[in-house]
Amino acid sequence: MSDIVPWGADPIRPAEPRPLRLTVDGETVEGLQGQSIAGVLLAQGRTAWRSTTAGRPRGVFCGIGVCFDCVATVNGESDVRLCLRRAADGDAVETQDDHDSAEGARP
Amino acid sequence: MTRVLVIGAGPAGLAAAAAAADAGARVTLLDSGDGLGGQYWRHLPPQRPSRREARLHHGWKHFQHLQARVRDRVEVITEAQVWAIETAGGTTARVLIGPSDAAGRESRRLTADAVVLAPGAHDRTLPFPGWHLPGVYSAGAAQALAKGERIRVGRKVVVAGAGPFLLPVAQSLTGAGATVLGVYEAARLPAIARGWLPRPQRLLRTAHKGRELAGYAFHHLSRRVPYRLGRAVVEARGDGRVEEAVIARLDADWAPIPGTERTVAADAVCVSHGFTPRLELPIAAGCAIGPDRFVQVDADQRTSVPGVYAAGEITGIGGVDAALVEGRIAGHRAAGGDPAALAGDRRLRRATTDLARRIEAAHGIRPGWTSWLRDDTVVCRCEEVPYGRLRDTAAATGQSALRSVKLTTRAGLGICQARMCGRTVEELTGASTGDPCDTSDRRPLAAPIRLGDLAELATAPNGDSA
């Protein structure tokens, strides 16, 4: 399970981080200022937030904006790579379910 | 005054920008990220200052020095995504500035007398059964998250693939408190010896890299992280996420040896088999690409297009020392600096190309890996094209052109635009024209861009605000 190095125990001696809050599918999630949205989710142990057309779960794979596995809707904009987007206080993240939308699109 | 545009602010781009400014040019440095340093010096954002961040890096002082020089004397634009480049009559780069993937970013058209391309490379991961499961990461992702966010992707982690880069990845993971169960290198000892042992005096000349590699070896011994040669992760298993990895021994061609499979419980698997250079911009600029599929440059880092220079991993995977020296040469020459001042850097550059050859000889991908694929192994992650369908479609239609393979199977047509699977699809289907410009590296736009933005840019009177 993914998590974050607790700041008090990190050998690089970080300053105390400042918190922020965002919502994921309406649920409040606590993060730290300066984290990417993917970082906020991974720090909570959440490793998947998208499902593919075939219904498979996906989260971060490449971590540097190349693979697009980690995309989600942020403040109404779809297909935002969460590994590249810094979290801002109050961001509303909605996970993308390509499986559902493919089903729904069928006549 | 000569105007120089530098694209990419990793080691090569930073060195190029600093050298061009030293040579008297007016320099603009662009990076798509919101900080400088690229992937090599990927670091915590300013909101999370740390007193001992240097411990996570090699050459951190050098980075800080370069960064200070550049910030002082160069126009730096971060969050700047170059999506097109034109080279008729000077260079024009079309840039969107703002948070990545956001709609309505500021659009600018930047012109310069010369441009240095330093976009770097990304990990190449060969597909294996289960590699689509959450908890499987490219090795670069694990490192970027550890260095840039202090995220550990797992508590019990398997690192696998090929190349010296696996060692710093494992170090970043243990430095974040993860247990690295093992580093599994596909190359076997004879290949490693072939690549690394000849002409040791040359290796010593690239002294920084030698020290860096020795440091990793010591770190692994002291942390008791097993480093095993001739092994690969041939499957990741789990219910909705990784729970175990299957590790097998490989023959000299990287084909798994039946009966040697061993299963280990792990909550993250980090795999990379080398790097793919980011060729979108050099191809868009019309630069000649060599048969090795890197940008061809001369001793001045000039590409085949006048006024376009290239530095760093797009000219060959040579590591940080190569990137820095190539950046210095490219920046100096792009600014019109005196070539006589470069004698020392040219010698250093020749020594670093030796390192790229060694890495390829020792760790280059061998064809036997395809025998760990199964019919249902996803090859194209975006379109979820399994190996069996890709192979059968390509065989049934006798396809040889990449384009028709893609259109028939949909492999490589997804949102990542074949950045992850392109070269693998070419290898698996034999779909290659031999023309280095007609490959999966070729993309109509250098960067993903929203259709709405594109329509607006295309119809706006001047196209831009700047």
Side-chain angles (χ1 to χ4, degrees), chain B residues 249-294:
Chain B
R249 298 181 67 145
L250 303 182
D251 69 16
D253 262 342
W254 290 21
I257 299 169
T260 63
E261 297 86 358
R262 196 166 61 84
T263 302
V264 295
D267 59 0
V269 176
C270 306
V271 187
S272 287
H273 300 91
F275 293 93
T276 305
R278 296 192 179 214
L279 295 180
E280 292 92 345
L281 290 174
I283 287 176
C287 302
I289 309 294
D292 57 358
R293 301 183 74 175
F294 289 101

Side-chain angles (χ1 to χ4, degrees), chain B residues 61-430:
Chain B
K61 272 197 179 141
H62 188 56
F63 165 59
Q64 287 189 313
H65 178 66
L66 268 177
Q67 178 169 240
R69 271 169 76 198
V70 159
R71 292 262 186 212
D72 207 30
R73 304 173 52 201
V74 165
E75 180 192 21
V76 176
I77 309 178
T78 53
E79 297 193 308
Q81 183 70 66
V82 179
W83 61 275
I85 192 161
E86 292 138 31
T87 52
T91 298
T92 303
R94 307 201 61 184
V95 189
L96 286 175
I97 301 164
S100 63
D101 300 329
R105 282 176 282 175
E106 179 197 355
S107 166
R108 284 180 68 181
R109 191 194 290 263
L110 300 171
T111 57
D113 303 301
V115 62
V116 179
L117 303 176
H122 59 77
D123 295 61
R124 175 160 178 206
T125 303
L126 298 172
F128 55 89
W131 77 308
H132 58 273
L133 284 171
V136 178
Y137 299 88
S138 76
Q143 193 181 40
L145 287 163
K147 293 202 299 193
E149 305 230 15
R150 304 308 283 147
I151 293 286
R152 42 193 172 202
V153 292
R155 303 307 293 270
K156 294 169 74 181
V157 186
V158 167
V159 176
F165 175 60
L166 299 179
L167 299 174
V169 169
Q171 185 170 31
S172 291
L173 282 161
T174 56
T179 300
V180 175
L181 300 169
V183 177
Y184 300 97
E185 161 68 53
R188 304 208 307 179
L189 190 57
I192 302 266
R194 257 199 319 278
W196 290 102
L197 288 189
R199 301 180 304 279
Q201 70 282 6
R202 284 207 196 170
L203 196 55
L204 291 173
R205 240 175 272 155
T206 54
H208 291 103
K209 201 70 195 172
R211 271 207 302 278
E212 188 182 331
L213 292 174
Y216 297 135
F218 176 76
H219 174 87
H220 282 73
L221 288 173
S222 62
R223 295 270 182 154
R224 297 173 199 275
V225 173
Y227 181 58
R228 300 263 186 266
L229 302 178
R231 284 172 177 78
V233 169
V234 295
E235 185 179 1
R237 293 180 187 152
D239 183 10
R241 54 160 295 117
V242 165
E243 288 160 346
E244 51 189 33
V246 181
I247 292 151
R249 298 181 67 145
L250 303 182
D251 69 16
D253 262 342
W254 290 21
I257 299 169
T260 63
E261 297 86 358
R262 196 166 61 84
T263 302
V264 295
D267 59 0
V269 176
C270 306
V271 187
S272 287
H273 300 91
F275 293 93
T276 305
R278 296 192 179 214
L279 295 180
E280 292 92 345
L281 290 174
I283 287 176
C287 302
I289 309 294
D292 57 358
R293 301 183 74 175
F294 289 101
V295 179
Q296 287 184 324
V297 288
D298 67 9
D300 282 340
Q301 302 301 129
R302 273 190 297 229
T303 70
S304 62
V305 179
V308 179
Y309 295 73
E313 309 291 58
I314 59 169
T315 71
I317 303 302
V320 67
D321 295 318
L324 288 168
V325 71
E326 289 180 14
R328 286 199 299 271
I329 294 172
H332 182 80
R333 295 298 288 135
D338 178 6
L342 290 173
D345 273 344
R346 286 196 211 281
R347 268 196 305 279
L348 196 57
R349 180 183 179 251
R350 280 194 293 276
T352 57
T353 35
D354 184 57
L355 190 74
R357 274 197 296 273
R358 286 173 192 275
I359 293 172
E360 180 55 31
H363 308 278
I365 292 169
R366 307 288 307 150
W369 72 270
T370 57
S371 53
W372 72 53
L373 295 173
R374 297 185 196 142
D375 280 4
D376 64 352
T377 304
V378 167
V379 173
C380 167
R381 298 172 66 89
C382 301
E383 294 291 314
E384 302 185 282
V385 182
Y387 171 58
R389 178 152 37 107
L390 185 66
R391 180 200 55 209
D392 293 347
T393 312
T397 51
Q399 284 155 336
S400 58
L402 181 66
R403 197 177 139 75
S404 51
V405 168
K406 283 167 77 169
L407 288 173
T408 318
T409 63
R410 299 205 55 76
L413 288 181
I415 188 171
C416 93
Q417 291 281 290
R419 285 178 174 87
M420 302 308 295
C421 74
R423 294 189 173 197
T424 297
V425 168
E426 287 173 34
E427 281 169 30
L428 292 176
T429 59

Side-chain angles (χ1 to χ4, degrees), chain A:
Chain A
M1 199 61 72
S2 60
D3 67 354
I4 188 167
V5 183
W7 72 271
D10 195 333
I12 67 169
R13 312 235 338 238
E16 184 171 354
R18 284 165 294 150
L20 60 73
R21 276 185 181 179
L22 42 80
T23 62
V24 179
D25 295 329
E27 209 173 293
T28 301
V29 176
E30 306 261 348
L32 306 174
Q33 296 204 11
Q35 280 182 306
S36 67
I37 298 178
V40 171
L41 295 174
L42 288 166
Q44 307 277 338
R46 187 160 176 184
T47 54
W49 47 83
R50 182 172 74 91
S51 59
T52 64
T53 313
R56 293 191 179 106
R58 292 282 173 85
V60 168
F61 177 69
C62 81
I64 60 170
V66 182
C67 78
F68 289 77
D69 263 5
C70 68
V71 296
T73 299
V74 178
N75 303 327
E77 279 175 8
S78 63
D79 294 333
V80 173
R81 289 167 284 180
L82 299 194
C83 71
L84 297 183
R85 178 62 71 88
R86 294 275 177 216
D89 217 10
D91 273 345
V93 180
E94 291 155 75
T95 58
Q96 290 182 204
D97 191 341
D98 297 339
H99 187 222
D100 270 357
S101 55
E103 296 284 312
R106 273 183 208 133

